[in-house]
Amino acid sequence: MRRSLSTAFLLSTAVHLVALFWPGVEVPEAPEPPGEARRLEARFLPPPVLQAAPRAAPAAPAPRPRPKPAAASVTLPGQDASAPQAAASTPAEAIPAAEASAPASAVAATAPLPDASGSAETPSETTAVAFLLPRQGRVVYSGSAGGAIGLQAYGEASWTHDGQTLESRLAAGLNSTDSALDFRSVSRLSGPQIISERTDDRRMSKHATSQIDQRAGLVHMQRAQDSREREIKGLAVALSALPQMLAMLDESVQKAAFFVVGDFWVEDSLLIALGEEEQRLPVGRVMTRHYQSRTANDKLIDIWLAPQWKNAAARIRIRFDGYTVDLRAAQVEIDGVTLVSEPGALPPEQ
């Protein structure tokens, strides 16, 4: 009996190790469209005004009083009736107070954020990202991690912003949403762009941070006593903010180049737009826009955005270090409202 239990334990351990480290089926790279990739550059613009007090409508003018009828002409004894009579004096009319013009305080009016049920407008070169990206979003995933024999995995992609600062998170694990990877970042919202400034990434027992100086074109990274510095020429985006960056990308861009920062590395990335695809998820079928990012350190990142969920990432697949994490949406929350949920596919409560 004891030998049987030991054999079963060793067999289970071997299967799990094979699942984690066996390369399995290779994730295919999408064919590269012809032409040169558009290099994305960081542009610094003043933050948008998310809310403004509505301008008070001018008060309706009060009705003018009707003039009093002229008094009847009376000829006094001894007065010539043909002589012109003095006109009856009418009191001057008061000017209504509402007509007194006073300069109104000018308030920069801006459109409110779209609600969770409305349709987002198409991003443009001038539309601020703060008006296209909901203030808060959270997608919980279920999926697999490993190779040919994948283990059950869970994940989370979430964000929150106040119109100027964006905080993003991308996490994944085998028994919870963050037991293996927990990547976080802080970015600036600049016009139609997300410009990452800081990262705080944890992978297993390793902890790395970075400071991204987009104006100077430098990224300084720190892991324990080890530090690195990397020059960049163009926009740099934290890996954890990549889903939000893609959600705000001009849909006309089919091929782009930018830098990805994450987990103690900075790599140039080639982004390819692969068009619309239908995805089968735990919450059902949904139409998506598929993007694939391939970096110089052989990381392949596929993200499928769902327009009907305010372009939240419906599926995320990351290939790195010889294995693949494939996450599919099991719950989507936008601005505090749960749009879809499949309780049976959610991670167990801790």
Side-chain angles (χ1 to χ4, degrees):
M1 180 67 178
R2 183 174 300 176
R3 179 179 298 177
S4 299
L5 291 176
S6 299
T7 303
F9 174 76
L10 291 175
L11 181 61
S12 175
T13 302
V15 169
H16 280 70
L17 290 174
V18 170
L20 282 176
F21 299 108
W22 184 265
V25 179
E26 186 75 5
V27 176
E29 291 189 357
E32 183 178 334
E36 188 175 354
R38 171 182 170 184
R39 171 66 63 179
L40 302 181
E41 302 289 342
R43 291 179 295 169
F44 295 89
L45 300 174
V49 181
L50 285 182
Q51 293 179 343
R55 187 171 182 176
R64 296 176 179 270
R66 293 184 180 180
K68 295 181 179 180
S73 177
V74 179
T75 304
L76 300 177
Q79 182 181 8
D80 186 357
S82 62
Q85 304 296 314
S89 63
T90 303
E93 299 177 6
I95 300 177
E99 291 186 14
S101 59
S105 59
V107 179
T110 54
L113 284 172
D115 58 24
S117 59
S119 59
E121 59 180 296
T122 302
S124 68
E125 292 298 321
T126 57
T127 305
V129 62
F131 298 114
L132 296 175
L133 186 67
R135 290 178 183 269
Q136 176 269 336
R138 180 172 181 261
V139 183
V140 180
Y141 304 92
S142 65
S144 61
I149 307 174
L151 300 178
Q152 178 70 39
Y154 303 98
E156 175 183 319
S158 57
W159 74 89
T160 180
H161 76 84
D162 61 2
Q164 300 184 32
T165 302
L166 169 72
E167 296 183 5
S168 304
R169 182 183 187 226
L170 180 60
L174 298 181
N175 56 359
S176 68
T177 59
D178 60 357
S179 60
L181 308 175
D182 190 356
F183 295 168
R184 300 171 186 254
S185 61
V186 176
S187 306
R188 173 188 301 190
L189 302 184
S190 177
Q193 276 191 342
I194 291 173
I195 300 179
S196 297
E197 296 181 331
R198 303 192 305 274
T199 69
D200 190 315
D201 299 336
R202 298 178 185 272
R203 179 168 62 90
M204 301 298 188
S205 60
K206 299 179 180 180
H207 178 210
T209 61
S210 71
Q211 301 290 328
I212 308 171
D213 188 343
Q214 307 252 17
R215 295 183 186 274
L218 289 174
V219 179
H220 180 78
M221 296 166 284
Q222 190 75 34
R223 174 185 282 173
Q225 302 303 315
D226 192 5
S227 63
R228 299 178 185 175
E229 193 168 78
R230 172 75 185 274
E231 291 187 4
I232 55 174
K233 296 182 179 179
L235 181 68
V237 180
L239 177 59
S240 53
L242 186 57
Q244 291 87 59
M245 176 268 185
L246 294 179
M248 299 300 103
L249 187 65
D250 187 344
E251 293 185 25
S252 65
V253 175
Q254 297 298 308
K255 186 178 178 182
F258 59 96
F259 289 86
V260 179
V261 181
D263 190 29
F264 205 53
W265 53 266
V266 180
E267 295 294 342
D268 207 355
S269 170
L270 176 66
L271 179 72
I272 298 173
L274 298 177
E276 293 187 348
E277 295 179 10
E278 185 181 59
Q279 288 293 309
R280 298 181 62 181
L281 310 171
V283 292
R285 297 175 181 266
V286 64
M287 289 302 300
T288 64
R289 289 188 291 116
H290 183 190
Y291 289 96
Q292 186 176 88
S293 167
R294 56 185 75 157
T295 63
N297 59 351
D298 199 35
K299 287 182 172 57
L300 198 64
I301 306 168
D302 288 86
I303 296 179
W304 289 261
L305 304 176
Q308 71 186 66
W309 298 337
K310 293 291 185 182
N311 283 330
R315 181 183 177 191
I316 298 176
R317 183 177 64 196
I318 304 176
R319 183 193 74 187
F320 63 104
D321 296 344
Y323 62 95
T324 299
V325 177
D326 194 351
L327 303 172
R328 301 169 187 259
Q331 185 179 75
V332 180
E333 175 188 303
I334 302 294
D335 284 337
V337 178
T338 300
L339 304 184
V340 290
S341 180
E342 179 54 52
L346 296 175
E349 295 183 1
Q350 298 300 307

